[in-house]
């Protein structure tokens, strides 16, 4: 797979951070992502009460994402670069996964599975700026993990179903490179975030299958939430904000009014609580502005 995209922003409001001779300014982002993915698996078949699936996954991703701050003059409308970050990322992932299910009693099914993975990222970057010394970055980070899944379900009469499931997923961490001056050491990298989901629900069909009801209650624990933030110059970086706990209920009802007309009503209610806020994240910004310790680094 290859994906190319670009963005162009008006950056006149912050141009004095980078140059003194611009009439207007623009910020340019480009990216070319090339990704190769291979997934191979084996699965059981037949009517046995014990079923299984096992597989391996591998991917290799290369991303080139240069950014430029362009000072625009009336006689040079295309802009003169006064800041640039030539960034390359190489991300390799390998994983093994599997799941086994067992119909241990009539109408009952239990399943357990998981995914073990390793993700290795290498980031290189060359930053040049009119008002600041050039700098280079070559950093590697690796993340290992295991994401489990456990479920149990019971089939009721007429195909109705009740179930409970616990599942987990992770999003990889990475490296921040942008800005005329580097971020504080503790924000040069960001950790993976992990979501653990606990859910129980019911699926019902009533009135000769003319009404379908689905409802579930869930509790999510989100660790090391990744969030994109912006320096005063508008250049983004990623950091971990803390943890969250989410308790919720969702439901959906579908009514078949006629053979060709149906109506659907769905809703969700939840309560979210932030916990273990990252003190670096919360103390670095007050009213949207960096404090004195980080003012220079966050400004550019």
């Amino acid at each position: 797979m290859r994906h190319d995209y670009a963005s162009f922003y008006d950056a006149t409001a912050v141009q004095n951070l980078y140059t003194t001779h611009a009439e207007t300014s623009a910020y340019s982002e480009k990216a070319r992502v090339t990704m190769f993915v291979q997934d191979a698996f084996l699965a059981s078949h037949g009517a046995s009460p014990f079923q299984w699936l096992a597989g391996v996954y591998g991917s290799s991703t290369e991303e080139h994402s240069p950014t430029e701050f362009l000072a625009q003059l009336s006689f040079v409308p295309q802009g003169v670069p006064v800041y640039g970050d030539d960034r390359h990322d190489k991300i390799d992932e390998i994983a093994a996964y599997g799941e086994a299910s067992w119909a241990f009693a009539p109408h009952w099914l239990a399943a357990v599975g998981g995914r073990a993975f390793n993700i290795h990222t290498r980031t290189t970057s060359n930053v040049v700026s009119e008002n600041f010394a050039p700098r280079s970055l070559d950093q590697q980070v690796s993340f290992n993990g295991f994401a489990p899944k456990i479920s149990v379900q019971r089939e009721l009469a007429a195909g109705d179903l009740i179930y409970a499931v616990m599942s987990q997923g992770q999003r990889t961490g990475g490296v921040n490179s942008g800005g005329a001056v580097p971020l504080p050491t503790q924000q040069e990298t960001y950790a993976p975030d992990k979501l653990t989901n606990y859910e129980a629900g019911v699926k019902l069909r009533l009135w000769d299958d003319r009404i379908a009801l689905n409802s579930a209650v869930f509790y999510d624990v989100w660790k090391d939430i990744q969030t994109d933030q912006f320096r005063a110059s508008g250049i983004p970086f990623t950091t971990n904000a803390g943890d969250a706990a989410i308790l919720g209920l969702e439901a959906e009802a579908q009514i078949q009014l006629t053979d060709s007309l149906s109506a659907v009503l769905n809703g969700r209610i939840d309560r979210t609580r932030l916990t273990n806020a990252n003190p670096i994240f919360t103390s670095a910004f007050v009213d949207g502005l960096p404090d004195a310790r980080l003012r220079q680094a966050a400004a550019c």
Side-chain angles (χ1 to χ4, degrees), residues 60-91:
S60 179
T61 304
E62 294 187 10
E63 180 173 354
H64 182 207
S65 51
T67 58
E68 288 185 316
F69 196 98
L70 303 171
Q72 297 172 310
L73 302 169
S74 57
F75 55 89
V76 191
Q78 70 272 22
V80 177
V82 294
Y83 162 84
D85 178 11
D86 189 23
R87 173 172 172 143
H88 294 260
D89 292 279
K90 179 73 164 61
I91 305 167

Side-chain angles (χ1 to χ4, degrees), residues 3-293:
H3 183 41
D4 296 90
Y5 60 93
S7 304
F8 206 66
Y9 301 94
D10 180 5
T12 305
V14 295
Q15 64 186 9
N16 290 338
L17 294 172
Y18 295 102
T19 184
T20 58
H21 58 262
E23 298 172 3
T24 59
S25 293
Y27 183 70
S28 168
E29 294 179 329
K30 298 178 181 179
R32 168 167 288 185
V33 182
T34 304
M35 185 177 187
F36 176 79
V37 178
Q38 181 65 51
D39 190 10
F41 65 91
L42 293 173
S44 61
H45 68 281
S48 168
F50 179 77
Q51 301 290 321
W52 56 268
L53 179 147
V56 292
Y57 168 92
S59 68
S60 179
T61 304
E62 294 187 10
E63 180 173 354
H64 182 207
S65 51
T67 58
E68 288 185 316
F69 196 98
L70 303 171
Q72 297 172 310
L73 302 169
S74 57
F75 55 89
V76 191
Q78 70 272 22
V80 177
V82 294
Y83 162 84
D85 178 11
D86 189 23
R87 173 172 172 143
H88 294 260
D89 292 279
K90 179 73 164 61
I91 305 167
D92 295 313
E93 179 177 2
I94 186 168
Y97 60 90
E99 181 173 295
S101 62
W102 179 35
F104 59 91
H107 308 295
W108 283 94
L109 182 69
V112 60
R115 184 177 188 271
F117 60 89
N118 173 270
I119 302 174
H120 178 80
T121 300
R122 180 182 180 184
T123 299
T124 61
S125 168
N126 291 297
V127 175
V128 294
S129 178
E130 182 178 278
N131 293 336
F132 297 86
R135 61 187 180 88
S136 297
L137 177 147
D138 187 343
Q139 192 160 350
Q140 301 184 55
V141 291
S142 294
F143 303 102
N144 301 287
F146 178 76
K149 179 182 179 182
I150 302 172
S151 67
V152 61
Q153 67 181 50
R154 189 183 194 283
E155 185 177 347
L156 305 176
D160 297 338
L161 185 73
I162 57 174
Y163 69 91
V165 61
M166 186 282 290
S167 59
Q168 193 177 92
Q170 293 192 32
R171 177 169 50 177
T172 187
V175 178
N176 291 309
S177 67
V181 294
L183 287 163
T185 302
Q186 61 268 39
Q187 291 183 334
E188 287 182 350
T189 62
Y190 54 94
D193 55 354
K194 179 172 67 176
L195 182 69
T196 304
N197 176 64
Y198 304 91
E199 180 180 330
V202 59
K203 300 178 183 291
L204 303 175
R205 300 192 68 86
L206 308 171
W207 197 17
D208 295 328
D209 291 341
R210 299 184 71 87
I211 298 178
L213 298 175
N214 300 322
S215 183
V217 60
F218 59 89
Y219 180 70
D220 292 334
V221 179
W222 194 356
K223 295 288 188 180
D224 294 321
I225 300 168
Q226 291 180 12
T227 174
D228 291 334
Q229 298 296 314
F230 296 89
R231 299 179 172 202
S233 61
I235 293 177
F237 68 99
T238 304
T239 188
N240 299 101
D243 304 334
I246 307 165
L247 177 65
L249 171 69
E250 58 186 11
E252 178 181 278
Q254 179 172 331
I255 305 174
Q256 194 69 36
L257 301 174
T258 69
D259 290 341
S260 57
L261 179 65
S262 64
V264 178
L265 175 68
N266 56 60
R268 167 179 169 140
I269 184 172
D270 59 57
R271 187 193 71 178
T272 301
R273 293 289 183 269
L274 298 178
T275 60
N276 302 322
N278 186 340
I280 297 174
F281 177 80
T282 55
S283 65
F285 296 90
V286 179
D287 296 329
L289 297 175
D291 66 12
R293 292 171 300 155

